[in-house]
Amino acid sequence: MKLITWNIQRGRGPGNTCNIDRVVTDLTRMGLPDVLCLQEVSAGYDDLPGLDAGNQFIALTRLLPGYTPIAGITTDTMGPAGMRRIFGSMIFSRCPVLQVIRHALPWPADPEVMSMQRGMLEATLDTPLGLIRVATTHLEYFSLNQRMAQVQRLRELQRDAARHARKQGPGTEAHGPFAAVARGGPALLVGDFNFLPGSLEHERLQAPFADATPAWRDAWNLVHGKVANAPTVGLRDPDGIPFTFDFVFACQRMAERVSDLQVASEVEGGDHQPLLLTLH
């Protein structure tokens, strides 16, 4: 089973020009995976070259047939002439999608910096490896205070989900929306976390829980041991030093399933490179 996570930056590519068709072409060249997690998908924006305010959520769904598309909108505001401007993430799955949950993450006031509402998009998938809960997120960039609050909430969500997975509540189809739906115990958390390996946020996210909740583990270390995380940002910036902001975290129950994790450094997209995960 293969998964790709990628901050597509609204389709940015060479010359900072946005083109969703090119994103799908790059994904096809990599080999379309079983599960695809994309961050920075938008609609209603025209602030970058190539952006015509079109709905990228719809465009990606059209360009990726054979997948169940799941949208996670975190920012929804009024633009010019009353047009909605939306921004968020998507999950595309070739596996049956049993349940989707859209979580808003904390956004404590930090008036000294720019910021936006952030979220986590979660789906329980019925895969050949069993039920797997896949979640994608994109944490705050400018505000450490907000990012730490979001990391703490990610930990709380993992604890709650693990409890749900251990003991499903009552409820049948006859109870309508109260019908109990399985929630995956084995889980992956992927995306653009806007923190560095070894940072306070990175270590806090992976800290053990006081109860039976399976802790998160950086899948890069599961595959590559003590080798430093390969950079995922700024590989083609002639004036900068590449660094890592994009991660795959596997809960302890998923760790033994992780067989490979690589950065697709050959893709000439925006600042971020895709991550390719293989499970067995």
Side-chain angles (χ1 to χ4, degrees):
M1 179 177 168
K2 295 185 181 296
L3 177 149
I4 290 177
T5 178
W6 189 13
N7 180 344
I8 62 171
Q9 296 187 303
R10 295 185 280 170
R12 286 172 65 184
N16 284 328
T17 299
C18 297
N19 186 322
I20 284 296
D21 289 341
R22 183 179 55 237
V23 168
V24 176
T25 297
D26 287 337
L27 289 167
T28 302
R29 287 173 180 164
M30 284 186 280
L32 289 171
D34 303 286
V35 182
L36 175 61
C37 298
L38 302 177
Q39 302 88 46
E40 291 202 32
V41 183
S42 76
Y45 289 92
D46 60 1
D47 55 308
L48 295 174
L51 281 184
D52 60 359
N55 190 316
Q56 296 180 340
F57 296 88
I58 294 175
L60 285 165
T61 298
R62 174 178 56 83
L63 292 167
L64 291 166
Y67 286 91
T68 298
I70 307 165
I73 296 169
T74 53
T75 297
D76 185 344
T77 61
M78 182 181 290
M83 177 183 292
R84 301 312 302 176
R85 297 198 296 182
I86 61 178
F87 187 79
S89 300
M90 293 194 78
I91 295 175
F92 290 86
S93 175
R94 283 178 165 157
C95 304
V97 179
L98 300 189
Q99 181 175 218
V100 175
I101 306 177
R102 297 167 176 88
H103 305 274
L105 296 181
W107 190 19
D110 192 346
E112 302 302 317
V113 296
M114 296 185 295
S115 64
M116 68 177 80
Q117 176 65 55
R118 304 286 179 160
M120 185 184 84
L121 176 61
E122 170 194 329
T124 292
L125 310 180
D126 188 2
T127 81
L129 304 179
L131 297 187
I132 297 178
R133 178 166 34 93
V134 175
T136 185
T137 192
H138 183 195
L139 303 188
E140 187 52 55
Y141 178 78
F142 291 105
S143 172
L144 174 61
N145 180 48
Q146 292 175 359
R147 197 162 55 251
M148 282 299 297
Q150 291 159 8
V151 166
Q152 182 58 33
R153 182 58 181 151
L154 291 177
R155 288 176 54 80
E156 293 168 358
L157 290 172
Q158 167 64 356
R159 180 202 62 210
D160 293 344
R163 290 175 177 173
H164 280 148
R166 283 197 297 269
K167 188 174 182 180
Q168 185 172 312
T172 68
E173 291 296 327
H175 295 98
F178 284 98
V181 180
R183 196 168 181 185
L188 298 167
L189 175 62
V190 310
D192 176 3
F193 291 80
N194 278 320
F195 56 57
L196 295 169
S199 64
L200 181 63
E201 307 98 292
H202 184 255
E203 295 303 311
R204 178 57 185 156
L205 182 62
Q206 298 181 85
F209 289 84
D211 56 15
T213 302
W216 291 116
R217 299 181 64 184
D218 188 336
W220 182 268
N221 301 129
L222 295 174
V223 174
H224 302 281
K226 294 183 179 180
V227 175
N229 293 64
T232 64
V233 186
L235 270 66
R236 290 169 181 81
D237 183 355
D239 301 317
I241 299 174
F243 55 94
T244 304
F245 268 180
D246 305 273
F247 296 88
V248 171
F249 293 97
C251 79
Q252 289 169 319
R253 292 184 61 187
M254 278 296 297
E256 62 185 24
R257 292 285 193 183
V258 175
S259 59
D260 194 30
L261 179 62
Q262 302 293 333
V263 177
S265 57
E266 73 281 0
V267 175
E268 295 187 6
D271 285 344
H272 290 256
Q273 304 298 133
L275 279 171
L276 286 68
L277 174 73
T278 303
L279 302 171
H280 69 273

